[in-house]
Amino acid sequence: MPVNLTEVARHAGVSLATASRVLNGSARSPAPDITERVKAAAEELGYVANAQAQALARSTTGLVGLVVHDIADPYFSAIAHGVQEVALQARHQVLLAGTDLGGEDGTPRSAELAAVTAFISYRTDAIILATSRFLEEDPVLAKNLERYIQNGGKVVTIGDTSIPGAKVLTVGNFDGARDLVDALVTSGLSRFVILSGPHERNTARSRVEGFTSALERRGLEPLVVVGGEFSSRGGFDATLECIDTLGIIAGAKSAESPLCILAANDVMALGAITALRSRGLQVPDDVQVAGFDDIPTLRDYSPGLSTYQLPLEEMGRLAAGLALAPESVLESRVTGAVVLRESAGTPTLAPDGA
């Protein structure tokens, strides 16, 4: 049978109200000797504080909910690390939920709704949505979050938002994709295919629009655009489709400029390289590849992947800062930098520290 607060108060020789003020964190603090006596009694009896009681006393649960797509994806794990760093500094704990396994109906949408509903029920102080938002927001999710905000909770989305009252960490996806293409064209490339990722995700769509905008400005257009999941498998399957559509054959030489695959994120790009190798094609000799994000694990791959480097951990820190900041702070923005490496036929060219 768990020890209750009444037993702690009796053991310490104080009132129940005094024991509650000490152990549940009330703004009214008893004298230091009484506080020490209550804490000693709680430790001796093995008392575990009631989180709900503490939340009522402090008007905060000290919890932040974070929703990501895939916990195993280095993109999301880097963001989560940054969120946790700031949350701990603010004496908050992070509750983490992934949507890749799907919810009741097996979809990421239902998984996200279930996670948000759970976070609201636990009365988290804030909810951070690190997943890319959808072209059409789930009306039930939006309504629940709107009500949560009205009741004093804070919501932060990374990338964009259509949720009334939510704060947003804007990411330069369009500009970054455009800058990456500009750098690749300047290096001598003129033939591109695009692995677009899921069209219903705003992040994927924005990056593809950046790719195509940069190509149009230079009088170019992609040879083919193929959709797929934001995953290594998605990049693998989309690349095989590109190879078959364009009739690319290992060992065949072309007088044209090398073909470059533009993937909407790094894990798709890594899947693309695996697919090319499965058909006997070498990177960068036969086909070149570029991704987006500069996930931390890229240092383990060869050839080095050309990409657009986002400050992923800093994005997590900024998102958590928005979540725990005063109401007046509503928005922040991050940009990155082009990093050209061997996968695009270029010696490593990276910003300092990359």
Side-chain angles (χ1 to χ4, degrees):
M1 190 77 174
V3 176
N4 60 40
L5 191 59
T6 300
E7 294 173 86
V8 174
R10 187 183 303 118
H11 193 74
V14 300
S15 69
L16 179 61
T18 297
S20 177
R21 282 197 292 271
V22 172
L23 298 176
N24 290 327
S26 171
R28 294 176 58 195
S29 299
D33 62 320
I34 295 176
T35 297
E36 190 60 36
R37 196 162 76 236
V38 171
K39 288 182 176 179
E43 183 175 353
E44 183 179 341
L45 296 175
Y47 172 75
V48 178
N50 185 301
Q52 292 178 325
Q54 288 185 329
L56 287 172
R58 300 173 180 171
S59 298
T60 174
T61 60
L63 298 174
V64 174
L66 172 62
V67 183
V68 301
H69 177 59
D70 182 358
I71 296 169
D73 187 325
Y75 173 89
F76 292 111
S77 60
I79 290 175
H81 190 274
V83 170
Q84 186 176 40
E85 183 180 326
V86 170
L88 289 175
Q89 290 172 357
R91 302 182 68 181
H92 279 66
Q93 292 294 326
V94 178
L95 301 179
L96 179 64
T99 66
D100 59 311
L101 298 179
E104 289 185 0
D105 63 0
T107 67
R109 282 180 180 270
S110 64
E112 183 176 56
L113 177 60
V116 165
T117 301
F119 291 158
I120 292 174
S121 71
Y122 278 103
R123 300 182 182 276
T124 58
D125 296 331
I127 296 173
I128 300 171
L129 303 177
T131 56
S132 172
R133 307 316 307 147
F134 289 95
L135 179 61
E136 294 184 4
E137 194 67 77
D138 179 353
V140 177
L141 176 73
K143 186 65 178 178
N144 286 353
L145 287 173
E146 185 178 0
R147 188 181 300 115
Y148 169 76
I149 293 169
Q150 291 170 350
N151 290 334
K154 294 179 181 178
V155 175
V156 176
T157 64
I158 296 179
D160 57 75
T161 188
S162 56
I163 300 167
K167 299 181 178 184
V168 59
L169 175 63
T170 304
V171 180
N173 288 309
F174 178 91
D175 292 343
R178 187 181 56 192
D179 291 348
L180 177 59
V181 169
D182 284 343
L184 292 170
V185 172
T186 299
S187 74
L189 299 176
S190 60
R191 300 171 65 236
F192 296 90
V193 300
I194 296 175
L195 309 187
S196 66
H199 177 74
E200 69 274 12
R201 293 283 189 173
N202 292 344
T203 295
R205 204 169 53 258
S206 180
R207 291 177 181 182
V208 171
E209 288 171 357
F211 289 152
T212 56
S213 172
L215 292 174
E216 287 172 3
R217 286 192 311 175
R218 294 172 175 268
L220 303 171
E221 63 180 31
L223 301 179
V224 64
V225 178
V226 181
E229 289 300 313
F230 255 172
S231 65
S232 177
R233 185 72 205 187
F236 183 92
D237 292 341
T239 298
L240 292 184
E241 183 176 337
C242 288
I243 291 172
D244 293 338
T245 299
L246 299 175
I248 301 172
I249 302 173
K253 298 299 180 181
S254 172
E256 300 178 278
S257 72
L259 179 68
C260 182
I261 294 175
L262 296 169
N265 73 3
D266 287 341
V267 291
M268 289 190 80
L270 295 176
I273 292 174
T274 302
L276 291 167
R277 287 173 175 166
S278 75
R279 293 290 182 87
L281 296 161
Q282 299 300 312
V283 178
D285 296 341
D286 299 317
V287 179
Q288 300 185 8
V289 180
F292 202 109
D293 292 327
D294 201 34
I295 55 177
T297 52
L298 287 188
R299 65 177 65 91
D300 300 326
Y301 291 88
S302 180
L305 182 67
S306 290
T307 188
Y308 185 79
Q309 181 186 74
L310 288 176
L312 299 177
E313 287 200 21
E314 179 64 14
M315 287 164 56
R317 288 190 286 267
L318 289 171
L322 283 173
L324 300 173
E327 293 295 337
S328 58
V329 183
L330 300 177
E331 185 173 356
S332 187
R333 179 180 176 82
V334 293
T335 57
V338 173
V339 179
L340 297 182
R341 300 189 179 105
E342 293 87 350
S343 72
T346 307
T348 300
L349 176 60
D352 292 341

Coordinates of all heavy atoms in Angstrom, one line a residue, residues 10 32 34 71 170 178 267 274 318-319 347:
R10 N 2.0 13.2 9.6 CA 1.9 12.7 11.0 C 3.4 12.4 11.5 O 3.7 12.7 12.6 CB 1.0 11.5 11.1 CG 0.8 11.0 12.5 CD 0.0 9.7 12.5 NE -1.3 9.9 11.9 CZ -1.7 9.3 10.8 NH1 -0.9 8.4 10.2 NH2 -2.9 9.5 10.2
P32 N 12.7 26.7 7.0 CA 13.7 25.7 6.5 C 13.7 24.5 7.4 O 13.8 23.4 6.8 CB 15.0 26.5 6.5 CG 14.6 27.9 6.4 CD 13.3 28.1 7.1
I34 N 11.4 23.1 9.2 CA 10.1 22.3 9.0 C 10.2 21.7 7.6 O 9.9 20.5 7.5 CB 8.9 23.2 9.1 CG1 8.8 23.8 10.5 CG2 7.6 22.5 8.6 CD1 7.6 24.8 10.7
I71 N 10.8 8.0 -34.3 CA 11.8 8.2 -33.3 C 13.2 7.7 -33.8 O 14.2 8.3 -33.4 CB 11.4 7.4 -32.0 CG1 10.1 8.0 -31.5 CG2 12.5 7.4 -31.0 CD1 9.5 7.2 -30.4
T170 N 9.5 28.5 -38.1 CA 9.5 28.5 -39.6 C 10.9 28.0 -40.1 O 11.9 28.4 -39.6 CB 9.3 29.9 -40.2 OG1 8.0 30.4 -39.7 CG2 9.2 29.8 -41.7
R178 N 16.1 25.7 -53.1 CA 16.5 26.6 -54.3 C 18.0 26.8 -54.3 O 18.7 26.7 -55.3 CB 15.8 27.9 -54.2 CG 15.9 28.8 -55.4 CD 15.2 30.1 -55.2 NE 15.6 30.8 -53.9 CZ 14.9 31.8 -53.4 NH1 13.8 32.3 -54.0 NH2 15.3 32.3 -52.3
V267 N 17.3 10.7 -45.8 CA 17.1 9.3 -45.7 C 16.6 8.8 -47.1 O 17.0 7.6 -47.5 CB 16.2 8.9 -44.6 CG1 16.8 9.1 -43.2 CG2 14.8 9.6 -44.7
T274 N 21.6 3.3 -52.3 CA 21.5 1.9 -52.2 C 20.8 1.3 -53.5 O 21.3 0.3 -54.0 CB 20.6 1.5 -51.0 OG1 21.3 2.0 -49.8 CG2 20.6 0.0 -50.9
L318 N 15.1 25.8 -30.2 CA 14.2 27.0 -30.5 C 12.8 26.6 -30.3 O 12.0 27.4 -29.8 CB 14.5 27.4 -31.9 CG 15.8 28.1 -32.2 CD1 16.0 28.4 -33.7 CD2 15.9 29.5 -31.5
A319 N 12.4 25.4 -30.7 CA 11.0 25.0 -30.5 C 10.6 24.9 -29.1 O 9.5 25.4 -28.6 CB 10.7 23.7 -31.2
P347 N 34.5 17.8 -54.2 CA 35.2 17.6 -53.0 C 34.4 18.3 -51.9 O 33.7 19.2 -52.1 CB 36.5 18.3 -53.2 CG 36.7 18.4 -54.7 CD 35.3 18.5 -55.3

